Amino acid sequence: MKVSEAIATRRSIRAFTDQPVDRAIVTRVLEQAQRAPSGGNVQPWNAVMLTGEPMQALFARVAGEFPKGRAALAPEYNIYPPELDGAYEARRFGVGEDMYAAMGIAREDKAQRLQWFARNFQAFGAPVLMLVHTPKYMGPPQWSDIGMWMQTVMLLLREEGLDSCPQEAWAAYSPQVREMVDIPEDHIFFCGMAIGYRDADAPVNNFPVKRAPLDEAIRWDGF
């Protein structure tokens, strides 16, 4: 698979099959991803890979907290900036509305929307969940490195025929994640990533995800 094909076919998959994922494939992907760019070769990424009983135990722990609503949420950072507005907020709102529309869930159907949101904390049925963390003293440049590493992982997964969904939603339940998973106290818990094989027929995996035209993001000088 060409890099361009991996980019074109990668998307945040929110419905996975129950097909198991071979550890050898994930190991190969992670070994190759160690070549991701890193300023000063710091390589600030760290992760815990979950499957089987440990993963199900985490799911059960968070499910017990879900009925508490917002009272149970304790992210270690702002998942979205409080000041998010304009085109940025419109894009965020728009993709959610497009997703629910693809599944036939009306805007006023709060119960079904909440039920679907809970699927985040079952990794959308994926058999593997990666939990990403980094030392608390790392700054924006190192967080950028982590993003480039995660993108590298996701593209390499596509080369292997696998799919993924990066999930910052897991950060909302950081205390519960720490209770169930060994993440160092001096590290910040960043996000999860669901890994598995996509359900190709699921509507949630097939709606078009809009992207801004190039001239909204790029300015050309001297060309």
Side-chain angles (χ1 to χ4, degrees):
M1 182 181 292
K2 294 180 179 180
V3 175
S4 57
E5 292 174 312
I7 293 171
T9 60
R10 189 217 66 81
R11 64 180 290 149
S12 293
I13 293 301
R14 293 182 173 87
F16 291 85
T17 72
D18 59 2
Q19 181 179 348
V21 174
D22 189 339
R23 175 174 173 172
I25 297 176
V26 179
T27 299
R28 181 164 62 244
V29 163
L30 294 175
E31 286 176 342
Q32 291 175 312
Q34 287 297 102
R35 301 300 306 172
S38 176
N41 202 32
V42 170
Q43 303 172 59
W45 48 80
N46 297 266
V48 179
M49 309 301 297
L50 293 183
T51 193
E53 291 184 8
M55 186 177 72
Q56 295 302 322
L58 174 61
F59 293 171
R61 178 68 183 88
V62 172
E65 296 291 308
F66 202 74
K68 298 178 183 178
R70 293 184 179 275
L73 307 183
E76 298 175 30
Y77 64 95
N78 289 322
I79 297 176
Y80 297 103
E83 305 84 5
L84 192 70
D85 63 4
Y88 304 110
E89 175 61 15
R91 293 168 193 159
R92 176 182 175 233
F93 178 82
V95 74
E97 290 304 298
D98 289 345
M99 180 186 72
Y100 286 119
M103 295 185 293
I105 301 176
R107 181 167 176 73
E108 61 273 12
D109 192 345
K110 304 298 184 184
Q112 196 169 359
R113 286 193 172 206
L114 189 62
Q115 183 178 2
W116 174 258
F117 181 71
R119 291 282 292 161
N120 272 283
F121 308 103
Q122 300 164 0
F124 299 113
V128 175
L129 176 64
M130 179 168 73
L131 301 173
V132 181
H133 57 96
T134 193
K136 291 180 178 179
Y137 60 74
M138 293 296 180
Q142 288 75 49
W143 281 61
S144 174
D145 289 351
I146 294 169
M148 289 188 284
W149 171 72
M150 291 179 63
Q151 173 76 331
T152 302
V153 169
M154 290 187 283
L155 296 180
L156 288 167
L157 288 169
R158 286 301 305 126
E159 184 180 70
E160 298 282 358
L162 284 157
D163 291 286
S164 61
C165 183
Q167 295 182 270
E168 289 172 329
W170 278 103
Y173 289 101
S174 180
Q176 294 80 11
V177 171
R178 288 182 178 277
E179 181 183 325
M180 302 300 294
V181 180
D182 185 14
I183 294 175
E185 291 185 7
D186 61 346
H187 280 213
I188 188 168
F189 170 54
F190 175 31
C191 69
M193 182 189 291
I195 298 172
Y197 294 93
R198 76 175 69 184
D199 178 350
D201 298 324
V204 75
N205 292 335
N206 289 290
F207 72 93
V209 177
K210 303 179 182 71
R211 296 296 185 181
L214 197 60
D215 59 7
E216 285 189 21
I218 304 298
R219 188 184 71 198
W220 303 84
D221 287 345
F223 283 86

